[in-house]
Amino acid sequence: MGMPRVHFLDVTNRDGVQTARTGLSKFGKTMVNFYLGRLGVAQSEIGFPFLFHEVPYVRAQVALAEAGAFGALRLSGWCRGVPEDVERAAPLGLKHYNLSISTSDYMIQNKFRGRLDRAAVIREMTAAVRAAKAAGALTVGVNAEDGSRTDDGFLLEFALAAKEAGADRVRYCDTIGGDTPGRIRERFARLASAAAMPVETHCHNDLGMAVANSVSGALGDLDAGQDAWINTCVNGVGERSGNADLLSTVLAFRHGFGLEAEIGDPLDLSWARRFGLWASYALGQPLPYNQVGVGRNAFAHESGIHADGALKDHGNYELYDEASLGPFPEDWHARPGRVVLTGEYGGKAGFRHVMDGLGVEVRDEDLTFRLVQLCNAMTGRPLTDDELRLVAAHPRELSLLFPGYESPGYECP
């Protein structure tokens, strides 16, 4: 076994989209997987494969992955840590799972209210792991929900039972966002060492420390000689105050002073701005001016001393080069003045005009045009350049998002 390394497991399509007052269309969730694949992230938690309305979307993702649309990105499903969810999800063919169940005495008492005790939690979880492995899962992570309020003894018992049942990792969830960097590093080092398996960070930002806690937890894994797996969301979205921000966490490992850790994913941050600004547009959530890396002011200087120093050498007042984060999008739909768009109510002339203008090769014109209309109807916003390119490249696979529309013969008026 080589040096332990850090991996990123993005949960935008699960924790990010279950945020109150926000949401992504199924096509939007598909684009998240596209961008994660371009960025080189290890794994995407794509959603809830046991939910009826996720089924066409999951089928489309599996087909797109097989067609190479997401690069080497691994797709995983989130299920509750009960065998019924796994059995319902299994026919869809996902090869990676995270199975979640509450472990803290607080939640056992105040959430389960006598329905489950510690023994039952372990019994349900191990049955779910075995069901996933029996269904052909290559990797299974088990999630200790409210892990930060679970005592060390039971956390270890939970992890070892999961490992014996076939689990590959245990996810320590700081569900209510109360952990602190020193504490979480020690707990990760103890748990990863005693269980001899990687522990995933899953940190919420209720104290503004989700990124710091994620970095510290990962270092605890490395202290124990285990790989680290970090859960992230694009732009730090997530329930309440959000999850650990993907870009911030990556930049911390690349540029943080004294962080000697090897990233095990082939990351390409030249897609970071395209992803961050697309996500802001798709989620309808404006980016804060001070958003790390992608906010309007992330590389802006005005005060005299700063401006003078930055003009002489940007390294005087900047930790990393903005060019490494790639270009800002200049999308067709955002052009000022006269512009012809393609979308839900458009016709073939506008469709051809836009696709030709973007230099996009359209192989199956009828199906691609139909999908542009359907995807725009789903998002309710003009499709971006990257979205139009994905539709043109993979119309057959994307048509699985829309059961009943995948076969020729259905014509738009």
Side-chain angles (χ1 to χ4, degrees):
M1 185 174 155
M3 284 282 290
R5 301 194 292 181
V6 176
H7 298 283
F8 292 89
L9 195 170
D10 190 85
V11 298
T12 300
N13 275 335
R14 199 275 304 173
D15 213 339
V17 300
Q18 67 187 39
T19 306
R21 302 194 180 102
T22 190
L24 273 178
S25 69
K26 305 302 184 194
F27 180 60
K29 293 182 66 167
T30 304
M31 288 304 297
V32 169
N33 294 327
F34 166 80
Y35 281 116
L36 292 172
R38 288 293 183 275
L39 277 164
V41 166
Q43 189 161 315
S44 172
E45 190 161 277
I46 67 166
F48 307 91
F50 59 92
L51 283 183
F52 76 94
H53 62 78
E54 292 269 69
V55 168
Y57 155 77
V58 174
R59 287 200 176 113
Q61 305 317 293
V62 170
L64 284 161
E66 286 173 359
F70 304 145
L73 181 73
R74 305 193 321 189
L75 307 180
S76 56
W78 185 99
C79 295
R80 292 168 298 186
V82 293
E84 301 83 61
D85 279 12
V86 177
E87 284 152 13
R88 201 173 296 157
L92 298 175
L94 288 173
K95 295 300 181 193
H96 307 278
Y97 286 93
N98 268 85
L99 312 176
S100 187
I101 196 163
S102 310
T103 54
S104 69
D105 288 344
Y106 191 98
M107 285 198 173
I108 287 172
Q109 188 178 327
N110 298 297
K111 181 176 154 182
F112 293 145
R113 300 201 168 177
R115 200 165 50 80
L116 297 176
D117 58 10
R118 281 182 164 187
V121 164
I122 285 181
R123 194 165 60 244
E124 292 283 0
M125 176 272 295
T126 51
V129 172
R130 289 192 185 99
K133 286 288 185 171
L138 299 177
T139 68
V140 176
V142 294
N143 304 356
E145 190 192 21
D146 210 19
S148 53
R149 285 194 295 186
T150 306
D151 66 75
D152 281 0
F154 187 58
L155 259 184
L156 179 58
E157 188 185 337
F158 179 83
L160 288 172
K163 185 179 180 180
E164 191 183 331
D168 302 273
R169 297 189 304 277
V170 59
R171 178 182 291 178
Y172 172 112
C173 303
D174 184 19
T175 302
I176 59 168
D179 234 323
T180 51
R183 177 184 189 267
I184 199 169
R185 181 169 183 169
E186 287 174 14
R187 299 200 85 202
F188 267 61
R190 269 200 305 273
L191 182 58
S193 179
M197 68 195 295
V199 185
E200 284 182 31
T201 73
H202 183 86
C203 298
H204 282 268
N205 206 38
D206 301 75
L207 296 177
M209 290 199 283
V211 170
N213 285 334
S214 297
V215 171
S216 295
L219 292 175
D221 274 312
L222 302 181
D223 291 340
Q226 294 291 334
D227 281 354
W229 286 76
I230 299 178
N231 289 184
T232 59
C233 284
V234 64
N235 297 344
V237 299
E239 295 187 285
R240 303 183 313 279
S241 298
N243 290 65
D245 173 43
L246 171 60
L247 181 57
S248 303
T249 314
V250 172
L251 289 170
F253 279 101
R254 285 219 170 149
H255 301 286
F257 303 142
L259 281 188
E260 302 299 325
E262 188 182 341
I263 297 175
D265 305 342
L267 297 177
D268 177 5
L269 287 188
S270 69
W271 285 83
R273 279 179 170 152
R274 295 268 284 285
F275 188 20
L277 274 84
W278 171 86
S280 169
Y281 173 74
L283 288 160
Q285 291 193 355
L287 282 174
Y289 274 31
N290 64 339
Q291 182 77 28
V292 170
V294 295
R296 285 187 67 175
N297 277 2
F299 298 93
H301 309 274
E302 185 181 319
S303 83
I305 291 171
H306 280 239
D308 176 66
L311 287 167
K312 288 170 178 162
D313 179 341
H314 70 80
N316 280 319
Y317 285 100
E318 290 174 8
L319 178 60
Y320 43 89
D321 187 355
E322 65 149 351
S324 66
L325 304 179
F328 286 104
E330 291 184 353
D331 276 23
W332 185 281
H333 71 83
R335 293 178 173 190
R338 180 184 295 119
V339 63
V340 172
L341 304 180
T342 183
E344 181 177 5
Y345 299 109
K348 281 278 181 72
F351 168 77
R352 290 192 189 109
H353 170 76
V354 174
M355 290 308 211
D356 289 348
L358 291 175
V360 173
E361 183 192 352
V362 178
R363 287 188 294 277
D364 186 335
E365 188 179 83
D366 288 342
L367 182 58
T368 304
F369 174 55
R370 187 149 71 238
L371 277 167
V372 165
Q373 294 181 307
L374 287 166
C375 290
N376 183 217
M378 198 183 238
T379 66
R381 295 184 174 90
L383 298 184
T384 67
D385 295 3
D386 288 338
E387 289 171 342
L388 291 168
R389 288 190 179 99
L390 185 69
V391 172
H394 296 285
R396 293 269 157 218
E397 293 82 8
L398 275 168
S399 68
L400 295 170
L401 285 173
F402 306 97
Y405 291 97
E406 61 269 50
S407 55
Y410 167 81
E411 278 307 322
C412 299

